[in-house]
């Protein structure tokens, strides 16, 4: 069983479109995260939710909107996609210290 | 502001050699220092972690050395193997006011172990 899963794995879209990435964890963790990893491998935290409550909201364009329908799910919706949004997006979850990462969603904006 | 500085950016080691990656931090409130390993096409995964009450932690071929006074910690990979070729990230964190941890990440080190 996959602990943290993301869909889709690949996403290719054009500038200006709106897209969503979904994340689910079956670990029973209270906290979930969205990270962006750019082409240089830098990991940047974007958002964190604890039990459906937003607790970390980094300096991210408001075109990015997370939604947590329940503590096992954290989705990321991106409006008006730009070329600079091309990256790998990782979802992660944690209960205490260790963060468990999903396989990533590679977003390519053309 | 980069609060965790990681070096080197890339590292090439021969099979059987020792790989050493260094990190330095600024915030003395940090109390948890993990190392994550990321293979191509995969998400990062926790490799080993240390807290500042000990100076060294060893798990198999992987050792963290921690120097609290210098605010530095390093990852040593003994008997490096081609399967260790990956990107390694150090990180540091402390609990914030909401009793949650936010990891501050280093920029990563790309390790290649030649056969």
């Amino acid at each position: 069983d996959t602990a943290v899963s993301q869909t889709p794995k690949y996403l290719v879209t054009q500038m200006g479109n709106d897209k969503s990435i979904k994340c689910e964890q079956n670990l029973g963790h209270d906290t979930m995260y969205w990270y962006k990893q750019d082409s240089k491998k830098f990991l940047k935290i974007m958002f964190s939710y604890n039990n459906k409550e937003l607790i970390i909201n980094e300096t991210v364009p408001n075109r990015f909107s997370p939604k947590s329908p329940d503590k096992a799910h954290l989705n990321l919706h991106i409006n008006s996609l730009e070329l600079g949004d091309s990256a790998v997006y990782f979802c992660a979850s944690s209960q205490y210290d260790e963060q468990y990462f999903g396989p990533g969603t590679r977003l390519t904006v053309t | 502001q980069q609060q965790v500085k990681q070096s080197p950016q890339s590292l090439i080691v021969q099979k059987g050699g020792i790989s050493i990656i260094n990190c330095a931090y600024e915030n003395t409130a940090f109390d948890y220092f993990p190392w994550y390993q990321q293979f191509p096409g995969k998400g990062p995964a926790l490799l080993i972690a240390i807290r500042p009450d000990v100076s060294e932690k060893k798990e198999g071929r992987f050792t963290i050395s921690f120097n609290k006074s210098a605010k530095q910690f390093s990852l040593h990979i003994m008997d490096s193997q081609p399967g260790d070729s990956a990107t390694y990230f150090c990180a540091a964190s402390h609990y914030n006011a909401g009793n949650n941890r936010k990891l501050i990440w280093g920029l990563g080190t790309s390790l290649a172990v030649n056969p």
Side-chain angles (χ1 to χ4, degrees):
Chain A
D1 286 344
T2 303
V4 181
S5 59
Q6 294 179 229
T7 54
K9 188 164 176 64
Y10 300 97
L11 191 51
V12 181
T13 188
Q14 292 185 326
M15 285 174 53
N17 284 348
D18 303 340
K19 289 294 178 185
S20 292
I21 306 172
K22 295 186 176 183
C23 178
E24 177 181 1
Q25 54 97 1
N26 63 8
L27 298 167
H29 291 167
D30 287 337
T31 306
M32 297 185 71
Y33 310 80
W34 277 112
Y35 284 90
K36 178 181 180 181
Q37 186 171 49
D38 61 24
S39 58
K40 294 186 177 180
K41 299 282 190 179
F42 178 58
L43 272 168
K44 174 183 165 61
I45 187 160
M46 302 173 69
F47 303 103
S48 177
Y49 272 74
N50 182 270
N51 216 353
K52 300 195 298 176
E53 179 184 350
L54 182 65
I55 56 171
I56 295 176
N57 186 355
E58 293 294 291
T59 307
V60 175
N62 57 16
R63 298 182 294 103
F64 291 80
S65 54
K67 280 194 173 64
S68 181
D70 56 62
K71 76 172 193 177
H73 295 85
L74 180 61
N75 304 324
L76 183 65
H77 188 76
I78 315 170
N79 290 325
S80 304
L81 278 155
E82 300 178 357
L83 291 176
D85 297 332
S86 295
V88 180
Y89 292 83
F90 287 102
C91 175
S93 73
S94 70
Q95 186 62 21
Y96 300 108
D97 297 326
E98 181 175 355
Q99 292 187 14
Y100 294 78
F101 283 77
T105 295
R106 181 173 293 276
L107 172 65
T108 303
V109 183
T110 62
Chain B
Q1 181 182 3
Q2 175 67 24
Q3 296 185 46
V4 177
K5 295 183 179 179
Q6 182 173 346
S7 63
Q9 186 175 356
S10 63
L11 182 60
I12 300 174
V13 173
Q14 292 299 118
K15 179 182 175 182
I18 302 174
S19 304
I20 302 175
I21 305 170
N22 300 299
C23 282
Y25 63 97
E26 300 167 2
N27 189 341
T28 55
F30 289 148
D31 62 358
Y32 175 67
F33 302 87
W35 285 89
Y36 279 76
Q37 179 187 54
Q38 184 181 25
F39 292 107
K42 304 290 185 183
L46 179 67
L47 183 63
I48 186 172
I50 197 168
R51 298 190 188 278
D53 53 342
V54 296
S55 60
E56 186 176 281
K57 183 174 181 179
K58 183 176 181 179
E59 289 184 2
R61 297 184 294 109
F62 301 91
T63 299
I64 299 180
S65 296
F66 184 81
N67 186 329
K68 188 174 181 178
S69 60
K71 293 187 285 186
Q72 295 175 347
F73 58 110
S74 59
L75 176 70
H76 296 236
I77 305 175
M78 311 300 288
D79 186 26
S80 298
Q81 299 296 312
D84 296 331
S85 298
T87 300
Y88 292 81
F89 294 94
C90 65
S93 78
H94 62 84
Y95 278 109
N96 61 22
N99 203 32
N100 296 287
R101 283 195 181 276
K102 172 184 167 182
L103 285 176
I104 308 300
W105 296 83
L107 296 181
T109 296
S110 179
L111 171 66
V113 181
N114 288 334

